[in-house]
Structure formats: C-alpha cells, structure tokens
C-alpha cells in the first residue's frame, strides 16, 4: 500500500503544480518500465521515440515545400509572374524565354538543396539504425537505436557514443565514475568525469541492474548542455524509499563518447528530438551581408528603369496609333466596335507585353551565380595551407559561406584575451603565502631549495601556513588522475604512470605547482582525496562537498574532513570575489603581490580557508542536500547557500600563473590597425593583467594616453553616478579638442597627434547601461559611445559574457552601422560572436563552443590577418565586380531592344531570336563571370598581406556605392547605344552583298547580339588581372560556343532546323566581309572607353614613377599593383 501511495504521489507531482514546483515542468521516468508498486497496474507514459530527424524534406513534401520556399524570393516570384503573363496574354516573346531561365535557376537550387537534405537523411539513418543493447528481464537485447524508449536501461561500452540522454546508474569502475568526451556536442576534447549515485553504483551486472526499482523525476527537455535538475527515488522492499539528487554530473548526453571505462549502465530520460543534442540543432539567426543590401537597392533602380521603359513605349504606341494610317493597314481595317471596345484593357495588356519584352534587364541568374560563388569560394578558405595548424592538425573552418565578402568590410574587431590573444597554456610561476613570495621549490630540510635555476629568497612564512597553503592547492580543484597515458583531453604527466586530467588548464598548473613544492595530489578513491606530503607520507581527506566554480561567483570551494575529524573549507578564486569574504586585516600584505603579479601579466588566484564546527557542517550538509533535491530554481538556491558558506574565511595566500601570448599576436594587431580597423579587447580578467597583455600585444603603445573608467577612478562612495558623469564629460571634452569636427571619416583615419586608449570595467559598464533613470542612462551611453569611437583602442575588463554582447551591440547600432567582428575561443564568448556581423571562433583549449557557434573558425589569432586582409579583400572585390557586371551586361542586352521599338512602330517586335533571349544569361555569359569571381586576384596576395593599407581602399562598401554603380550603368548605356546605332547606320545600305541580296530584321538583331556577346565577354577579359587556364577556357570557350550554337541553330550543323526564322541567317552574316569588319569595328568602339582608361592609367603610373622614386623594387611593385587595379572600372577612390 505504501508503494502504491508513493507511485500515485510521483505521478501527481509530474502532472500538477505542487510545493516548490510552480509549473508543469517535470516528467517521471520509471527505470526499466517497472512500476514501483506490485499491486498497482503500470500505465506506460507516452514520450517521443529515439528517431533523430535533422532533414528538412521528405519524398512527399519536397516539391511543394521547396517550390514554396524558392518563390518567397522576390526575384523568383517576379519571373514567375512574367512567365504567367506570357502564357495568358498574347506577348511578343515565347513563354520559354523567361520560363527556361527561371526553370534553370529553380532546378539548380532544388538539386543543391535536395542533395544537402539527402546527406542529412543518410546521416540520420546511420544514427537511427545503429545497434544498441537494452537490458530486459536480466538479458541483453540488441535493438536499433531508434527503438529505444524513455525508461529503457541501456548498456554502452568503451569508445561508443551514447544513443540518447541517459541517467548514469553504474559503471565497470568500482567507484561509480566514468570518463566522457563531448567533442561532437560542444567541441570540447577535454576529459569530463561523471558520477553515478552511490545507491546504484554497485549494480554492475545485468541481473543486479534488472533488480533496481526506481523512479526518476526530472525537468522537461531544454537545450542547455550544462544544466540538468532531477532526483531519483529508489525503492527497496520493507524499507523507506531513498531520494538522491541528480545534476549535470549524472547525465550522459547523446553524442558524447565513453572513454577509458569498459562499460556503463544508464536509463534513458530524453530520447530522439527531445535530447539536448537535437534541441541544439536550431540554427543561429540569419546574418545578411552589406552586399545583399546593395543588390536589393540596385534591383529597385533597375525595376524603375523597366517600368519607365514599358510606360514610355505603351504611351508612344498609342500616340503613334492616333494617326489612322499607322494604326491599321488598308487591307485589314478595324470596325468602329473593335476600335472602341476594351481600350483600357488593351492598354494594360500592351503594358504587360512591354514588361515581358524588357524583363531581362532584371538579372534572375545573378542569384544562383552569387550563391555558387559564395559556396565554391568558401572552399578556398578551408584549403588555405597557411591557415593550417600542425599542433592541432586542423585548418580553417567555414560554417557560413554567406558572409565571405563581409570579411573585407570589417571596421571593429572585438577580441577575447585568454585563449584568443594568449595560449591558454598555464605555467605556475610563483606564489605568495602570508605576504612572503615563493618562486622556487621547498625542500624537506630547510624549505628553500630550487630545482629550476638560481635560488631566490624572499623570506618565509610559518611552516604550518606553508603546508596549509599547499594542501589547499592539492585539495581545492576538480582534477582527476588516470592510470596509463592513452587519455583524450587536457592531460599532464604527473609521474611515470599517472596523468592529470581536467577541464581547466589553470587547475593542472596549480596542482603541478604544489607538487613542485613537495605536496603531490595522488587522486580520489572512494570519496577520499590522497595527498603525499613533503615527508612522503600519504594523507587522506574525505571529500564531502564541491562548491563548483561559476562565472558569477568567480570562485570554487571544497569541504573536506581530515583524519583527525576536523571539517575544513578551502576556497580559491579571483581577488575581487575572495577579498570581501576574508578578514580585512589579512588582505593588504597579499594584495601588494597580487597587483604586482597582475602588472607582470600573470593570472592570479587567491586562496582562503575556514574551519567548520561539526554543528556548522551538519547545518551546511542539510541545506546543500535540500537544495540539490529541488527541481525548481535549484541553481538560485545553491547560489544563496554557497554565498552563506563562503564567508568569514581566512586568507592564506595567492598564486601567479603565466599565460603567454600566442605567436605573431602583436604583428597581427598592428596589421589590423594599419588596415583601418579598431581593435577592442573584452575580457573577464582583472584590469592589471589585461593592461599588461594589451601593451605586450601592442594594442596600447608607449605614447598612448590611457583614460580609465574603472572602480579605482570611480571610488566606492555613494556619489558613483555623479563621479561617472564628471569623468565622461572630462574625457569627452579632452577628445573633442584633439578631434576637429570636420573630420568625417574618423574611423578610417589615424592622423591624430595624440593616441588615446580607454579602459573600462564591468561594474562601470553596469552603471552606464543600467542607470536608475532611463534618460540619464541613455545620456551616459551616448557620451560613453562617443568617447569609445574616438579612442584608437579600448580595453574592457572584468566583463560578464552578456556585457560583451552589449558592447558589440552598442557599436553595431551606431550611426552608419559599422561592420563588426568578434573573435573568441570559449563558451563565454558565444554571445558576442552571435551578436557581431561576423563571428570568428578560435579552436582553442577552452572547448569548441565558440568555434561551433561562429561563422568562421581558425586555429590561431594570427590567422585573422590573412583571413581579413587577403581572403576578405579578394572576396569583396570579386563579388562586387560580379554584381556590377551582371547589371551592366543586362542593360547592354535590353537597351537595343528598347531602341528598336522606335523603329518598328512600338509593335513589340523582338530584336533577338527567342533562343538568344533564353540562352544569353544561362550559357553565353554566365561561366566567365563565375570563373572571374572565384579566381581573380587584382592585387598580388603577398602585397595584400604586407601592405594592410590596401584594405582601406575597399572599406565602407566602396565598390558598391552609387558612384561606381552609375559608372557601370552609363558604360552599359553607352555600349547599348553603340551596338544599336552602329548596326543601324550600317543598314542604311541594306544590300551588303555583291549579288544585291537584302538583309532582314533577324540579321539586324543577330549582328547586334553578336557584338553584344563579344563586347561584354572581352570587357571581362580586360578586367582580369590574374589569368589561369580556367579563365582562358571559359572566356574563349564561351565565345566559341556562341559561334557553334549560332551555326547549329541556323541549320548548318543540324539540318532538321530548316523550318524556322533563323535558317542560315548567321552563316550569311559571317560570309559578308563588310559585316564582319563592322562587327570588329563596333566591338572596338564599344570597348574604347575601357581601353582609353587603361592607357591613361598606365601613362599616369609611369609619370608617377618618374617623379617619385620609391625606396625599393618591392615597394614599387606594391604601388604599381594597387594603382593599376584600384580605379579600373570601379572608380572606387576617385
């Protein structure tokens, strides 16, 4: 009866709000589907199955769903409307002319998306059909992974991945631990230890595990990989049920891999699309590049041109037809009724017909070309051997190819410090105990030996204090020891057969530091931590509680029990979080050392302890147990208890750990600044350490005047806001005096006489962002932002992850919307990486969350130089040229068609044959520009790397501004006029053959089209600076294909085509010598502005070389390359 009541209570708890649970937020899982009561019927609960579905389409919905998504794009929808108009209305051109290009674009995109989805289906099937072993009736049953149900007991063996989210019940290790890597989840390759609850840890066989009767209560599925709240209720016959808390350390996530543990048993709690891995599939918010915005603006202009042309032609048609002799021939006159009926409708259909005739001015194929360019172009980043790192054996990674060109437009770089600018490879340097500095090793005899160099003696603390400090270092951590060397993760050899394992490099450095001074941590066994002291005696401490580190508290603690029965709390953390919690008289002597170490660029931690009475411990133990059993607000309750426990401690000393700068960091920052970018460092580290790193990395120069907005300059009084206001006004006034108002392009100029740097900390930022009054807060933000933008470098220290994102958002939303880039390596950098226009992840030692959430990932900070200055520069130039070229060649294409209407009575007669209309954008002119946009190097790569100033020439979207757009538009208009009127004057004598045969309208159109195809293709050849065999192949191959197709379409190569209007037109045209000469002449005339521009630029360059002697041939080469390329065709700095 007791069991029955318990079970009903459990179910009610999971369904209704009760006690501390204020929402329906829990689920109840019965282990092994066994009811907790033998007398009560078991009703199986409904949870989702274990199938993973990452695919977007099925066989049945692919066509309608894909078509719906594609026609949501304005250009595709526009061409669909045009196609339908051609089908419904009697238009001058065949529906094929717009239908075929649209079909081509839709098909190519559908094939690409279908193939990508097929790959996802295949990957899903591999996972869903993989074999797993379920324990049923004390036997192992082999099943497909997709058939796992919530409540099944699963056995997982070494090096296998977990098929769903499991609560860890027991392992082959006697102590109920297992080792896991989560590389496929968050990219962290370091070793994580998970624990089984002590009541189930001993169930190590199928029979034992099958005898377990238990129910798990836990929260409903949520995506946070690092949070889990639950409890397990274990039932034994004739005994009270036992309840144990469950946390993230008890949860084994789907996608993680079991390491160095023979096998484990776990019970499935979340399956299929409810696992944390599946819930993290949700993509990041879509980022759009500045180029896309420019394309949309240009499209609107060309749409206006199209509407204007259609309106003009429709109006002039009815003006022309107002003369009766022009309206109808004498042999087919209309009746009065025909003249008057539906005049408005006829005008509307005529307008639509002209729209159809001129619709090719809108380049529909540009979208598919841009997509292909971005997709294929991204491979060049991944293939770059200079961005490959031998140490981690990985290169650059592209997660988002949509932003390639944005890499060439960056104005602000926000970077993390630890692990991004520095190596995150910690080395113990020194420690301080009661104000005495220790920089060597301590021997058994006199405590003053040194094994790593000459001895440095700084005075000594008392022996008992030294030992207390070193014991704290040996006990206050989460380091594990594993026998053997084959361990994945962050590892350090601690002896001939032992390996230190930890998720934090700081902790390993401190344990190694303690070993250096004679105290060696030997590992954890049955909840006892073993330490070997200086006398080689083994000391055992019972580990009672770990108060885990978190970024808000910035400290961690352990509670241990000594062999003599004493209860001790050891705590280590940042000075700002430890100093307020210790006796104030103990601080000063240690604070001096901490500040000095920070100035030297070392990472510092303070160490404190407190002795607890048995009564205190029992109270703490009860509070922690109660909080850990909570299913609602567990973290908040734990945080409050931790806050109460970590009070009134005694400071013992501090440690200093060195984290060296990565190679070439200083050179990279200098190059980025020379390229016109402003670099800001956003770090959680203390000000002194961060400032030292900024000087070492040359972010701050020796002549940089530093302005500080920190706790130190603000003071601790109640007048903080007043003091902040005074400082903001003072700095603002100082900066305005050095920056004249007429300097418009401030962010790209470095000609100031005095450089300023700003240092601001997290607490001041909180004051600026969260002022009591919104109006004051807004005013603070405005002044603060103006100060920041006028400084050459900014350092923000003691930052919370959310504040990093706030700073990025503040700059991103300023006037002009500057392009921002964030770079970081850890989970705390993800928020700013997602906030910036471009996010870069460093594949560092703090896991791979940053790399996983970024748009691009690189192994080291130094690779940022080539990624931006070379790849970014080239991608931007290529795609800008592609966009301008597409609009230009379509204007050249349609302008003669428009002019032709003035000579055919506005009858909507097409100038070009339907085949030429259809294939112009698909076949004749598409491949050359695609090859150009993938391979062009208008400036040598070495020059781009060595001269960062070249980056500034393309800044502020220079090549897609209205000035270069108008240049391309006028060039297209000039060439269109030259094509048409050149051939028109040629046709003043329409008999171009000796035998007097007269050329007709199709010959006229074919001559214009031939000149058009050759001109726009040769224009691209003139623009090409970097020739490869592929450029030659597609440029000359496209022209050859056009000639071949024209012969084919004219019936020479394919004689079955005799019955159409183009029969032998092209063949007769090319046999006419005057026609051929006219074609060559008109191509030359059309290209003459380009040719004259090149001649002028070369002459100007040579004159400049004579008048100005350059220091070396290398510099001359760079200068020539930049001159020959910078203004050609684009007018980007004229």
């Amino acid at each position: 009866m007791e069991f029955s009541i318990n079970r009903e209570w459990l179910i009610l708890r999971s369904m209704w709000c009760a006690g501390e649970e204020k929402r329906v937020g829990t689920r109840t899982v019965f282990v092994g589907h066994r009811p907790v009561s033998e007398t009560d019927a078991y009703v199986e609960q409904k949870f989702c199955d274990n199938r993973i579905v990452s695919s977007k389409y099925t066989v049945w919905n692919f066509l309608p769903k894909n078509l719906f998504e594609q026609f949501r794009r304005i250009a595709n929808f526009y061409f669909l409307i045009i196609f339908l108009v051609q089908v419904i209305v009697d238009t001058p051109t065949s529906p094929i002319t717009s239908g075929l290009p649209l079909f081509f674009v839709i098909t190519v995109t559908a094939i690409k998306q279908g193939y990508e989805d097929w790959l996802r289906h295949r990957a899903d099937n591999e996972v869903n059909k993989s074999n797993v072993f379920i324990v049923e009736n004390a036997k192992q049953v082999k099943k497909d992974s997709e058939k796992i149900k919530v409540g099944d007991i699963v056995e997982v063996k070494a090096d296998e991945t977990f098929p769903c989210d499991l609560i860890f019940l027991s392992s082959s290790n006697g102590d109920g631990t297992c080792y896991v890597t989560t590389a496929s989840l968050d990219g962290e390759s370091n070793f994580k230890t998970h624990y089984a609850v002590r009541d189930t840890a001993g169930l190590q066989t199928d029979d034992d595990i099958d005898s377990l009767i238990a129910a798990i209560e836990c929260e409903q599925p949520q995506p946070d990989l690092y949070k889990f709240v639950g409890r397990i209720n274990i039932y034994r016959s004739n005994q009270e049920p036992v309840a144990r808390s469950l946390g993230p350390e008890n949860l084994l996530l789907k996608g993680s891999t079991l390491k160095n543990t023979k096998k484990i048993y776990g019970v499935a709690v979340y399956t299929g699309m409810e696992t944390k891995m599946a819930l993290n599939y949700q993509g990041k918010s879509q980022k759009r590049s500045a180029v896309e915005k420019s394309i949309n603006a240009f499209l609107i202009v060309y749409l206006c041109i199209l509407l204007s042309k259609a309106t003009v032609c429709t109006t002039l048609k009815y003006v022309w037809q107002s003369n009766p002799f022009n309206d109808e021939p004498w042999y087919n006159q209309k009746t009065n009724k025909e003249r008057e009926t539906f005049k408005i409708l006829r005008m509307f259909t005529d307008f639509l017909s002209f729209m159809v005739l001129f619709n090719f001015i809108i380049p529909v194929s540009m979208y598919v070309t841009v997509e292909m360019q971005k997709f294929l172009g991204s491979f060049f980043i991944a293939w770059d051997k200079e961005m490959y790192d031998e140490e981690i054996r990985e290169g650059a990674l592209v997660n988002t190819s949509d932003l390639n060109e944005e890499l060439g437009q960056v104005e602000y770089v926000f970077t993390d410090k630890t692990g991004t600018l520095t190596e995150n490879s910690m080395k113990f340097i020194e420690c301080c105990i009661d104000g005495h500095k220790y920089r060597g090793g301590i021997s058994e005899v006199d405590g003053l030996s040194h094994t790593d160099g000459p001895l440095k003696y700084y005075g000594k603390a008392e022996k008992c204090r030294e030992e207390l400090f070193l014991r704290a270092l040996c006990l206050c951590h989460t380091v594990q020891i594993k026998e053997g060397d084959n361990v994945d993760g962050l590892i350090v050899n601690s002896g001939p057969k032992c390996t230190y394992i930890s998720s934090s490099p700081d902790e390993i450095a401190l344990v190694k530091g303690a070993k250096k001074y004679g105290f060696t941590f030997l590992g954890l066994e049955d909840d006892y931590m073993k330490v070997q002291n200086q006398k080689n005696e083994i000391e055992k401490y019972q580990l009672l509680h770990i108060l885990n580190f978190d970024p808000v508290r910035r400290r961690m603690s352990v509670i241990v029990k000594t062999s003599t029965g004493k209860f001790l709390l050891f705590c280590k953390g940042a000075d700002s979080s430890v100093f307020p919690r210790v006796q104030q008289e103990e601080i000063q002597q240690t604070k001096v050392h901490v500040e000095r170490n920070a100035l030297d660029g070392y990472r510092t931690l303070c160490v404190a302890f407190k002795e607890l009475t048995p009564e205190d411990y029992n109270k703490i133990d009860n509070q922690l147990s109660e909080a850990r059993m909570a299913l609602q607000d567990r973290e908040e309750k734990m945080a409050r208890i931790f806050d109460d426990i970590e009070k009134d401690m005694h400071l013992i000393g501090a440690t200093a750990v060195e984290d060296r700068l990565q190679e070439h960091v200083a050179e990279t920052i200098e190059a980025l600044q020379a390229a016109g970018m402003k670099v800001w460092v956003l770090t959680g580290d203390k000000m002194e350490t961060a400032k030292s790193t900024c000087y070492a990395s040359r972010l701050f120069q020796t002549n940089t005047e530093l302005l500080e907005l920190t706790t130190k300059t603000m003071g601790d009084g109640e007048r903080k806001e007043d003091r902040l206001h005074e400082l903001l006004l003072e700095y603002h006034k100082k900066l305005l005096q050095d920056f004249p108002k007429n300097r418009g392009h401030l962010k790209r100029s470095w000609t100031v006489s005095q450089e300023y740097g700003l240092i601001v900390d997290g607490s001041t930022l909180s004051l600026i962002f969260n002022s009591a009054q919104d109006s004051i807060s807004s005013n603070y933000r405005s002044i603060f932002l103006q100060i920041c933008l006028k400084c050459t470098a900014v350092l923000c220290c003691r930052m919370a992850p959310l504040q990093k994102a706030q700073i990025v958002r503040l700059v991103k939303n300023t006037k002009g919307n500057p392009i921002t880039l964030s770079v970081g390596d850890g989970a705390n950098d993800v928020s700013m990486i997602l906030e910036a226009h471009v996010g870069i992840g460093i594949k560092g030692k703090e896991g791979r969350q940053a790399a996983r959430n970024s748009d691009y990932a690189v192994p080291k900070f130094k690779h940022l130089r080539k990624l931006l200055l070379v790849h970014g520069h080239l991608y931007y130039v290529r795609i800008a040229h592609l966009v301008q070229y597409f609009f230009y060649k379509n204007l050249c294409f349609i302008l003669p068609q428009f002019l032709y209407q003035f000579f055919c009575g506005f009858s909507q007669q097409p100038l070009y044959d339907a085949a030429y209309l259809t294939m112009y954008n698909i076949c004749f002119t598409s491949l050359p520009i695609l090859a150009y946009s993938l391979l062009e190097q208008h400036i040598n790569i070495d020059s781009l790397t060595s001269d960062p100033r070249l980056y500034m020439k393309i800044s502020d979207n220079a090549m897609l501004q209205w000035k270069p757009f108008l240049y391309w538009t006028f060039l297209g208009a000039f060439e269109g006029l030259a094509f048409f009127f050149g051939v028109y004057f040629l046709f003043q004598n329409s008999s171009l053959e000796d035998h007097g045969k007269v050329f007709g309208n199709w010959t006229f159109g074919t001559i214009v089209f031939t000149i058009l195809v050759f001109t726009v293709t040769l224009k691209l050849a003139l623009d090409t600076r970097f020739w490869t065999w592929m450029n030659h192949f597609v440029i000359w191959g496209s022209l050859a294909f056009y000639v071949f197709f024209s012969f084919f379409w004219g019936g020479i190569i394919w004689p079955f085509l005799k019955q159409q209007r183009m029969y032998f037109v092209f063949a007769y045209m090319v046999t006419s010598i005057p026609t051929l000469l006219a074609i060559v002449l008109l191509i030359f005339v059309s290209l003459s502005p380009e040719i004259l521009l090149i001649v002028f630029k070369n002459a100007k360059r040579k004159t400049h070389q004579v008048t100005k002697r350059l220091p070396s041939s290398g510099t001359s080469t760079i200068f020539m390359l930049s001159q020959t390329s910078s203004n050609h065709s684009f007018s980007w700095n004229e």
Side-chain angles (χ1 to χ4, degrees), residues 921-980:
N921 277 318
I922 296 177
C923 301
F924 300 147
T925 60
S926 59
L927 285 178
I929 184 60
L930 179 61
Y932 176 96
S933 66
L934 289 171
L935 303 170
E936 174 62 4
Q937 294 177 23
H938 65 298
I939 300 178
N940 180 281
I941 285 179
D942 292 335
S943 304
L944 287 172
T945 310
S946 58
D947 187 1
R949 290 169 301 172
L950 294 170
Y951 189 87
M952 283 194 277
K953 295 198 171 187
I954 58 161
S955 64
D956 300 319
N957 203 14
M959 290 177 61
L960 288 172
Q961 297 291 351
W962 290 109
K963 193 175 175 182
F965 173 71
L966 290 173
Y967 171 83
W968 281 91
T969 302
F970 284 123
L971 186 66
F974 167 78
E975 291 181 6
L977 290 166
F979 302 157
F980 183 82

Side-chain angles (χ1 to χ4, degrees), residues 381-397 419-420 422-423 662-664 841-845 848 857-864:
I381 294 176
W383 290 338
D384 194 328
K385 291 181 180 177
E386 289 182 23
M387 292 165 71
Y388 181 84
D389 187 69
E390 290 292 344
E391 188 182 336
I392 61 171
R393 296 188 179 180
E394 287 184 50
L397 176 70
T420 304
T422 62
E423 289 182 346
Q662 290 183 19
E663 58 179 353
H664 304 308
I842 302 288
K843 297 177 177 180
K845 296 178 182 177
R848 294 292 171 84
V858 292
K860 296 277 173 65
F861 184 82
K862 67 177 180 181
H863 297 131
L864 214 56

